[in-house]
Structures are given as structure tokens and as C-alpha cells.
Amino acid sequence: MAYSVENNIRIFKNSMFLYIRMLFVLAVSLYTVRVVLRNLDVVDYGIYTAIGGVVLSLSFLSQILSSASQRFFAYEIGLQNYERLNKIFNTLFLTYIGIILLIIGISETLGLWFLSCKMSIPAERMDAAYWVFQFSLLAFAVTIITNPFIALIIAHEHMNVFAYIGIAEVLLKLAVAGLLIVATVDKLKLYAVLMFVVSCIIGILYYGICRKRFPHIKLQRSWDNNIFKSIFSYSSWTLFGTVAGVCNNQGINVLLNVFYGPVANTAYAVGYQVSTGVSNFASSFYTAVRPQLTKSYAIGDFAYMNQLFLFSSKTIFALLYAIILPLMLETDIILKLWLGDVKPYMVYFTQLMLVYTIIICIGNPITTIAQASGQVKRYHGIVDGFGLVALPLSYIAFKLGALPEVTFYITIAVFIIAHALRLIVVRNIVPIRIAEYVKCFILPAVMIIVVTILLSWPVRLGINNTVGQLLCVTTISIVSSCFCSYFILFNQEEKSIFRSLFRHSKR
């Protein structure tokens, strides 16, 4: 099956909605934090974020179920089996309620004990801290119960709705920050209450839109044990993959602290923030293409699935590399402009974490195909299990006196091998073509890296002015990476997609 023009236009539009959402949310959120911090003062804001962190630490179950929800919903939508979709939705909804009750039980016992006995809070602000705890818990419960409605919207590929509500949410939070300026009551208590109100408004919006747009979904007291077992099996191995990733990242951070102290942790935190910000650009496209990959697998259209798999892998690489190349070449200047004072290890850590980010992100389409098949036990068990090897290898290297950046070299090498394992494992589940993947994606991507560095590096050496060097290198590297990606990475059929999307966007 050839690429579907309708599907491509939908993916393109959804990606644009998600990019706009991401940029708007980021800009408004940064400003909102500034306003809130100014009006709550450092102590009260610290109390709010610390207590909110205690509540959010219990959210991993919800995050895993959110991913599972999108997969199961998209699969049934692809099959147009709306009766089973309704059963899955109601089973998941009841599961979410169970999670809420579990989290409330843990929070109102262990959480309150931790708040009272272990957290460092001034005595005069303890009453306000209890308000924050209870309303943060209520807001969190509303957010959890909203997740299946969000998953339903994403699975139906209504990304414009997702984007509009995301923008509405940050605007409401900005309004809350504005109210703090004129408030005469306890601002910390007011902030906690208003953030709960925002959660309720957003939850009602998602519920109302889903009820209007998806009349085939009806809330019922319906439970299917077989569906729950499938979801639990899927989620448990997805949870393993998530926990493995967290253990790897946080484990390396702990090792850096043990062997090299907090200076290395600061450098790690800076590199992590940069790499996370970069990966968000690719995640917008990935979120848009993910339902299509799942649906094509569900209906057995493996030809289109393979085409979309290659196209999405190439596009994710092209989007990331256009941003990563100038960041890699001018890391020291960019960090100086951002932070003012660049501490030890920051430049090396940031550069190496950007390389790690691109390896992880180009693996996302492979993960989606594995998850679409439902056979996640073998995939996450082998791939994520192997990824954990980076942690003990880093420990051994540090014990032998290795430099701190060696842990990133080890991690990059391990995840390059893990990427090959992804392909091998998925090939035994789904008919993907590894030889075509290497020939049409990996080799052209390597060629693009070599060509663009050869074009950009002489410019970097020839200019000594800091700002001028940054502008020239950034321009050359972005233009060269986009040009090379278009002419080296994408084939004629894929180029025609971009041309048709460009023509469509001008209408």
C-alpha cells in the first residue's frame, strides 16, 4: 500500500498542533513560575513543590496505564471494534479509580507521616502545608481520572483538541498566578486550592469533549477480567522498561555523586535539562505518528506500517539532528549565554547526553511496533534488561579511576547495541525489514553526520567572535543538516510527501 495522503496530512497537522502546544506551554510556564515564585516567596514555593513532589512520586502507575490506554484504544479504533473499545475504556476507568483509592490510602497514612515527621517545614507554615498536601492530592486524583479521556483523544488523533486544552490549562495557571498578586489571604493556601480548581476545569473539558465527539463511549459499571489481565500483563512489562530507564539515569547520577561529588551532579542536571528539551521536539511528531503505527498493525497492513516506520525514524532523526548539531558544536558558548558561569564537566556531559538522546529517540518507533503487537515481555525484558548493563559497567570503570564522562561513553555504546537488539527482537514479532532499515536509514544518517560536520567545523574554527561564531555555525549547521536530510535521507516518495504537505499548507 502506498502512503496515504490523508494519513500524511493528518500526521502533519497533528504534529503542528503539538509543536505549537509545546512552545506555548513552555513559554507561558516559564513566566508563570517566575510570577508564582515572586508572590509566594522562596519558602512557600519550596513547600508547595516539595509536597507536590511527594504526591507525584506515587504517579508512576498512572503514567504506565496512560501509555497502555493509548495502545489499546488505538488498536481497537484501527479495527473499528467500538464495542470492545467501550469495554476496554470502562475496565481502564475502573482501574484508574482503584489506583486513586490506593494512592489516597498511601498518601493519607505514609504520606502524612512523612510530611509531619520527615519534611523540613517551618512550624508556622505547617497548617498551610497540610492544605497544600490535601489539595495537591485531590488535584492529582482528578488528573489521574482524566487520563483515560486524554488517551481516548490521542488515540482518535484529535491532537488539535489536546493542544487547545493544553494551552487553556497553562492560561488558567497564568490567571492563578495573577490572582496571587492581588490576594490578601494566605497565598500558599489559595494557590493550592486554585490549582485544584484548574485540574477540575481541565477534567470537565476533557470529559465533555469526549462525550460529545465519541458517542460510542459510554461510562458504565462494566468490568472484563480478560481485558484487565491483558492490560496488566502489558503494563507490567512496560513498567519494567520505565523502571529500568529511571534506574539507569538516576543510578548514574548517584554514582557520579559518590565518586565525583555534587559538582558532577550539577553538570548532569544541566545536561539532562538540555537533552530533555531537545527530545520534546521529536516527541511531538512521535505522539502524532504513534496511533497510525498501532492502527496499521491492528488491521494487518504491514506494508504501510513498514513505510511509516522508516519515514518516522528518518523524520525523528532529521528533526533532532538539526537542533543537536549546533548545540554540540557550540555547547560552551550556549551554556555561557544561558548560565553565565560554566562549571566543570558541563560541556562534555551535555554533548554526550545529546548523543544518547538521539539514540533513544530513534528507537521510539520500534518500541511502538513492539507495543502494538502486545508482545512486550520479550521486547522490554531483553532490550531494557540489557540497557541496565551500563550501570555496573560504569561502577567498575569509576572504581578503576576512569574520568566521569566515561559513564556516558559506556551508556552510548550499550544503547547502540540495545538498538540493534530492538530490531532483532521486533523482527521476530512483526515483519519489519532490517536490511532496508540499515540501507535506507542508518547508512544515510551516518553520511549526513559526516558531511554536516565537515561543512560546519571549518566555520567554527574561522571565527573568533563569540556571538558571530554562534550565529554563523548555527545557521550553517541547521541549513546543511536540513538540506542533507532532504536529499540524502528521504527517498523520492517521501520527498513527494513533503512537497504535497507544503502545497496543502499554502491553501
Side-chain angles (χ1 to χ4, degrees):
M1 173 182 172
Y3 286 106
S4 166
V5 175
E6 183 182 348
N7 285 342
N8 293 329
I9 291 173
R10 185 186 301 118
I11 291 171
F12 174 75
K13 285 183 176 180
N14 288 338
S15 298
M16 291 303 101
F17 280 124
L18 292 171
Y19 276 120
I20 293 169
R21 176 188 185 274
M22 180 194 68
L23 293 172
F24 190 86
V25 168
L26 178 62
V28 177
S29 296
L30 289 173
Y31 180 73
T32 301
V33 168
R34 178 181 175 181
V35 175
V36 171
L37 182 58
R38 182 177 296 175
N39 285 278
L40 284 185
D41 76 43
V42 174
V43 173
D44 278 2
Y45 188 71
I47 291 171
Y48 184 85
T49 54
I51 294 173
V54 172
V55 176
L56 287 174
S57 66
L58 303 169
S59 68
F60 66 94
L61 287 174
S62 172
Q63 293 168 0
I64 297 302
L65 274 179
S66 181
S67 173
S69 302
Q70 291 180 37
R71 182 267 171 192
F72 281 90
F73 291 165
Y75 191 94
E76 299 303 327
I77 292 168
L79 294 175
Q80 297 186 352
N81 190 346
Y82 296 112
E83 182 180 350
R84 181 170 170 81
L85 175 63
N86 192 58
K87 289 182 180 179
I88 292 173
F89 179 85
N90 281 288
T91 301
L92 274 165
F93 191 81
L94 291 173
T95 304
Y96 274 99
I97 290 176
I99 290 174
I100 289 173
L101 295 175
L102 175 64
I103 289 176
I104 288 176
I106 294 172
S107 299
E108 295 290 0
T109 52
L110 293 176
L112 279 177
W113 167 81
F114 188 79
L115 172 64
S116 302
C117 303
K118 297 297 179 180
M119 296 191 72
S120 179
I121 296 173
E124 68 275 11
R125 301 304 291 151
M126 188 57 74
D127 180 56
Y130 282 120
W131 274 66
V132 170
F133 183 84
Q134 296 298 340
F135 279 98
S136 294
L137 187 59
L138 289 172
F140 182 64
V142 173
T143 301
I144 289 181
I145 208 65
T146 305
N147 274 344
F149 298 103
I150 298 174
L152 201 61
I153 287 171
I154 292 175
H156 279 90
E157 300 182 75
H158 292 188
M159 303 301 176
N160 58 331
V161 175
F162 182 63
Y164 293 148
I165 296 180
I167 291 171
E169 184 175 4
V170 293
L171 289 176
L172 286 171
K173 290 179 179 178
L174 181 61
V176 168
L179 287 174
L180 293 179
I181 298 174
V182 298
T184 56
V185 297
D186 189 311
K187 293 185 178 183
L188 181 55
K189 291 180 180 179
L190 177 64
Y191 186 61
V193 173
L194 291 177
M195 291 300 285
F196 166 64
V197 172
V198 169
S199 299
C200 291
I201 293 172
I202 296 303
I204 291 169
L205 282 175
Y206 275 117
Y207 170 74
I209 289 172
C210 286
R211 185 173 180 180
K212 182 178 179 180
R213 293 202 175 198
F214 315 128
H216 49 277
I217 300 297
K218 301 184 185 302
L219 274 176
Q220 300 166 335
R221 197 181 299 172
S222 173
W223 178 268
D224 190 307
N225 280 325
N226 291 328
I227 290 174
F228 176 76
K229 288 177 182 176
S230 297
I231 294 170
F232 180 80
S233 175
Y234 176 94
S235 300
S236 60
W237 284 103
T238 305
L239 174 63
F240 173 78
T242 302
V243 171
V246 170
C247 288
N248 215 25
N249 291 329
Q250 296 306 313
I252 288 173
N253 199 18
V254 170
L255 287 180
L256 288 170
N257 179 268
V258 170
F259 285 93
Y260 297 98
V263 172
N265 293 124
T266 302
Y268 184 90
V270 169
Y272 185 79
Q273 286 184 34
V274 173
S275 62
T276 300
V278 168
S279 66
N280 285 339
F281 282 89
S283 69
S284 294
F285 175 78
Y286 173 60
T287 301
V289 80
R290 184 177 178 180
Q292 281 291 323
L293 281 169
T294 303
K295 290 172 185 177
S296 60
Y297 175 86
I299 62 176
D301 191 352
F302 298 121
Y304 177 64
M305 186 195 73
N306 270 289
Q307 289 176 324
L308 188 57
F309 164 56
L310 268 176
F311 180 66
S312 60
S313 298
K314 293 176 181 180
T315 305
I316 288 171
F317 171 81
L319 289 171
L320 281 177
Y321 189 66
I323 302 168
I324 285 176
L325 180 59
L327 287 174
M328 292 275 295
L329 293 174
E330 299 297 339
T331 310
D332 51 347
I333 295 176
I334 291 170
L335 290 182
K336 283 178 185 177
L337 292 173
W338 177 33
L339 302 173
D341 185 20
V342 179
K343 301 297 182 183
Y345 311 127
M346 282 185 181
V347 173
Y348 288 140
F349 282 17
T350 300
Q351 290 172 333
L352 292 170
M353 289 180 81
L354 287 171
V355 175
Y356 169 76
T357 297
I358 203 166
I359 294 169
I360 293 298
C361 287
I362 63 174
N364 285 337
I366 307 173
T367 302
T368 296
I369 292 174
Q371 291 175 341
S373 71
Q375 300 185 45
V376 290
K377 178 179 179 179
R378 190 192 317 172
Y379 178 80
H380 287 296
I382 294 175
V383 176
D384 295 310
F386 180 78
L388 287 172
V389 170
L391 197 57
L393 289 179
S394 296
Y395 175 78
I396 293 170
F398 288 160
K399 288 291 286 185
L400 295 175
L403 295 172
E405 59 264 29
V406 169
T407 185
F408 298 104
Y409 292 120
I410 291 171
T411 303
I412 289 168
V414 166
F415 277 89
I416 288 174
I417 299 171
H419 191 78
L421 287 175
R422 292 180 200 274
L423 292 166
I424 294 169
V425 172
V426 172
R427 183 190 60 182
N428 294 325
I429 301 172
V430 182
I432 64 169
R433 299 183 286 268
I434 296 180
E436 183 182 10
Y437 180 82
V438 173
K439 178 183 176 182
C440 298
F441 172 50
I442 298 296
L443 294 180
V446 172
M447 187 185 301
I448 289 169
I449 292 171
V450 173
V451 171
T452 51
I453 290 176
L454 289 175
L455 289 172
S456 303
W457 191 258
V459 179
R460 185 180 189 276
L461 297 177
I463 303 175
N464 294 322
N465 179 271
T466 302
V467 177
Q469 177 182 320
L470 177 62
L471 291 174
C472 287
V473 172
T474 299
T475 302
I476 294 294
S477 58
I478 290 176
V479 171
S480 63
S481 63
C482 292
F483 184 87
C484 290
S485 292
Y486 183 79
F487 287 100
I488 297 175
L489 190 59
F490 296 102
N491 60 33
Q492 290 302 320
E493 191 173 5
E494 291 161 345
K495 289 174 186 175
S496 69
I497 294 173
F498 288 116
R499 289 194 293 268
S500 65
L501 292 175
F502 179 73
R503 287 193 297 269
H504 181 82
S505 66
K506 292 174 68 176
R507 294 174 187 172

